[in-house]
Amino acid sequence: MRARQLGLAPGLMLADARALVPDLAAVDIDREADRTWLTRIADFCDRYTPLVSLDEEGGVTLDITGCAHLFGGEEGLRADLTRRLSRITSLVRSAIAGTPHAARALARYGESTIVEPGMERDAVRALPVAALDIDAATIAALEQVGLRSIGALVERPRIPLAERFGRDFPRRLARLLGEEDIGITPRRPLPLCSAERQFAEPIARIEDILDVLASLFKQNARTLEERGEGGRRFEAGFFRADGGVTHLIIETGRPTRDPDILIRLFRERLDALNDPLDPGFGYDLVRLSVLLTQPLVAVQNSLDGHTMEDGEVAALVDRLTTRLGADAVLRFLPQETYIPERAMRLVTAAAAEAVLADGATDLWPERAMNDAPLRPLYLFAHPELIETLAEVPDGPPLKFRWRRVLHDITRAEGPERIAPEWWRDGAGAATRDYFRVEDADGHRFWLYREGLYESETGTPRWFMHGLFA
């Protein structure tokens, strides 16, 4: 406001600005620092509502629908927000209105106020046309024809305005007048359920924080139980009395409602932090949100001996994931293909559980207890070329040389013919004939011949692909 009173405005040349204000100090704008500062303020505003968005022009918009009563009404919420923000910034302007566009315009170009429902049209009449968030050329064109305020536009027919200033112009005006509400786009995903605790006196001890989290877990667990669900991703938000905010996220491999498990994981998460949690003067608000849920069916462990074992393995995976990171704990899943080296894919343990929860199968090929394995225990990532003596055209190998050692084959099973996947490897890919062979020393190998004799190649090549136990 002070800059506008002096005649300064965005887009003004520096020489012209110094002509108006000779002792004007000019520094380069640091947009990254501004963005970081604005993000910190938005994090702070999460204490009032999960619906917070960033404005490109340096503001923050909150959707406080259904939240104001928690702070003594809209006036109480605005007073609390202004008081807290005044500790970290010298100028705070705020407005509450029925649409985000009206509230934003009033805070930026008008007075700090609370607009009664349905009174947006009267509240914004005195604002300049710049409150429409339009470009400088359009503002100049409006001012040239004497349309300098929103009130001057209200009485004008909308169709001529659209023809002169673009089809988006009437929509901007309608949103500012409270006639159209498109809501905001939250910067953070909305939690599926949430619980929080506020403190008259801030807390700082880790043990107190964990006790509060345990209590909040139990509140969320009751909500999840009513839905027949368990949580997979949890976020704890710690709001410091000085405005600082810290968010910690943990994930579990399986849905759970057990507070003891989650407290152990959060303790692991706190211990694994490179920068320890700094409570400063203490936290006056702690919130626990559930960001991802899945159906959870109660299991009676005494009737299934494997259930307890599976649960212990899942708990171990969760602890390792929390301490080491999701990318450090991996799992194989089967993949639909006939090519052996493509029959599996490596994913994070958390992603694997999510895939299986969506209905994917985790069944690997089964065999009877006494049957010989169809696939080797060790599969080479890249098959190794070998020298082989074999009967033509389709006979098994009689002997082969691999890594300078000659192996005499005493037993052979096969061939198992695997056709190429032409949609992946192209039309020129060769057919493979696989053999399970055993040499004179009892070692068992998995070999294949690449290319059908005469029909695909005149000189088929042989490869070592895996080793049996």
Side-chain angles (χ1 to χ4, degrees):
M1 294 296 293
R2 175 61 177 162
R4 292 193 183 93
Q5 293 173 358
L6 294 173
L8 304 179
L12 190 66
M13 299 294 293
L14 180 60
D16 295 335
R18 282 185 168 153
L20 297 172
V21 185
D23 58 346
L24 179 68
V27 296
D28 291 335
I29 188 171
D30 189 345
R31 298 190 183 278
E32 187 62 30
D34 290 346
R35 188 75 176 180
T36 301
W37 177 246
L38 197 61
T39 300
R40 180 184 173 189
I41 294 177
D43 286 339
F44 160 81
C45 290
D46 282 340
R47 68 168 51 237
Y48 299 102
T49 172
L51 298 173
V52 180
S53 69
L54 296 177
D55 296 339
E56 294 299 328
E57 297 298 326
V60 178
T61 303
L62 286 68
D63 186 342
I64 60 173
T65 305
C67 302
H69 69 282
L70 300 174
F71 302 89
E74 293 179 348
E75 184 60 50
L77 188 152
R78 190 167 74 97
D80 186 76
L81 183 147
T82 302
R83 175 177 59 83
R84 292 177 181 274
L85 280 181
S86 297
R87 300 173 183 173
I88 58 177
T89 182
S90 58
L91 178 62
V92 180
R93 298 177 58 83
S94 63
I96 297 178
T99 65
H101 294 79
R104 185 185 303 121
L106 288 167
R108 189 172 299 159
Y109 298 97
E111 299 294 334
S112 295
T113 183
I114 297 179
V115 180
E116 295 296 327
M119 302 299 294
E120 286 79 14
R121 175 185 290 263
D122 294 334
V124 302
R125 291 181 69 92
L127 300 183
V129 292
L132 291 168
D133 284 340
I134 51 182
D135 58 85
T138 303
I139 294 174
L142 288 168
E143 292 177 344
Q144 285 179 357
V145 296
L147 301 175
R148 300 178 178 276
S149 68
I150 301 299
L153 295 173
V154 169
E155 309 302 332
R156 299 280 178 172
R158 303 286 175 88
I159 294 178
L161 291 176
E163 293 175 349
R164 175 65 178 83
F165 301 108
R167 290 181 297 178
D168 188 52
F169 190 88
R171 286 196 292 267
R172 290 178 178 272
L173 182 59
R175 294 167 189 168
L176 195 62
L177 298 175
E179 300 172 357
E180 179 182 344
D181 183 8
I182 61 172
I184 65 173
T185 302
R187 55 189 288 268
R188 298 167 60 86
L190 290 178
L192 300 176
C193 65
S194 179
E196 65 181 41
R197 182 78 54 80
Q198 296 191 41
F199 308 97
E201 294 294 333
I203 61 174
R205 295 177 62 249
I206 294 298
E207 293 304 322
D208 293 338
I209 294 171
L210 292 175
D211 288 342
V212 172
L213 285 178
S215 175
L216 298 178
F217 275 136
K218 293 177 181 178
Q219 294 183 41
N220 282 326
R222 288 192 288 270
T223 302
L224 294 173
E225 187 175 9
E226 293 174 356
R227 301 176 183 176
E229 297 176 336
R232 283 281 316 280
R233 183 179 299 122
F234 302 84
E235 179 185 69
F238 307 101
F239 297 80
R240 295 197 328 191
D242 61 359
V245 183
T246 301
H247 293 283
L248 294 180
I249 294 179
I250 62 170
E251 297 186 12
T252 60
R254 297 181 179 183
T256 183
R257 296 192 295 261
D258 190 338
D260 294 335
I261 292 177
L262 298 176
I263 287 299
R264 286 199 298 269
L265 293 180
F266 261 111
R267 189 181 290 276
E268 292 280 353
R269 184 77 175 86
L270 291 171
D271 292 342
L273 290 176
N274 293 328
D275 187 11
L277 197 64
D278 180 15
F281 294 105
Y283 300 107
D284 59 1
L285 173 66
V286 176
R287 176 183 297 146
L288 178 69
S289 303
V290 184
L291 304 182
L292 176 64
T293 63
Q294 287 179 353
L296 176 60
V297 179
V299 178
Q300 189 169 357
N301 293 337
S302 60
L303 299 181
D304 185 357
H306 296 290
T307 301
M308 186 172 297
E309 297 176 6
D310 293 343
E312 292 174 351
V313 172
L316 175 61
V317 170
D318 292 342
R319 291 186 61 189
L320 293 175
T321 300
T322 301
R323 177 170 287 273
L324 304 177
D327 295 336
V329 186
L330 307 177
R331 174 177 176 178
F332 285 106
L333 285 183
Q335 190 159 256
E336 292 290 341
T337 181
Y338 291 104
I339 306 301
E341 60 266 30
R342 295 175 181 162
M344 64 198 72
R345 55 193 174 117
L346 196 60
V347 299
T348 64
E353 291 293 340
V355 170
L356 297 176
D358 289 337
T361 179
D362 188 25
L363 298 179
W364 299 89
E366 295 184 358
R367 62 183 180 88
M369 183 66 67
N370 297 324
D371 289 349
L374 299 178
R375 293 291 183 268
L377 181 64
Y378 183 84
L379 190 72
F380 295 126
H382 303 285
E384 299 183 11
L385 186 65
I386 59 176
E387 301 175 9
T388 306
L389 176 64
E391 299 177 357
V392 227
D394 299 322
L398 303 177
K399 59 177 62 179
F400 68 92
R401 187 183 302 277
W402 176 51
R403 296 181 180 177
R404 298 188 180 184
V405 177
L406 183 64
H407 299 266
D408 291 317
I409 296 175
T410 57
R411 297 179 183 178
E413 295 176 335
E416 175 189 355
R417 181 159 294 178
I418 297 180
E421 295 178 339
W422 53 266
W423 58 92
R424 290 180 176 175
D425 302 320
T431 302
R432 298 179 183 180
D433 280 346
Y434 278 88
F435 292 88
R436 296 186 296 275
V437 302
E438 181 178 325
D439 67 4
D441 295 326
H443 300 136
R444 305 186 72 233
F445 309 92
W446 205 39
L447 316 177
Y448 73 86
R449 178 177 51 230
E450 183 183 69
L452 299 179
Y453 185 70
E454 291 186 345
S455 62
E456 291 184 353
T457 179
T459 55
R461 298 189 302 171
W462 286 83
F463 290 87
M464 171 72 68
H465 204 171
L467 305 175
F468 292 91

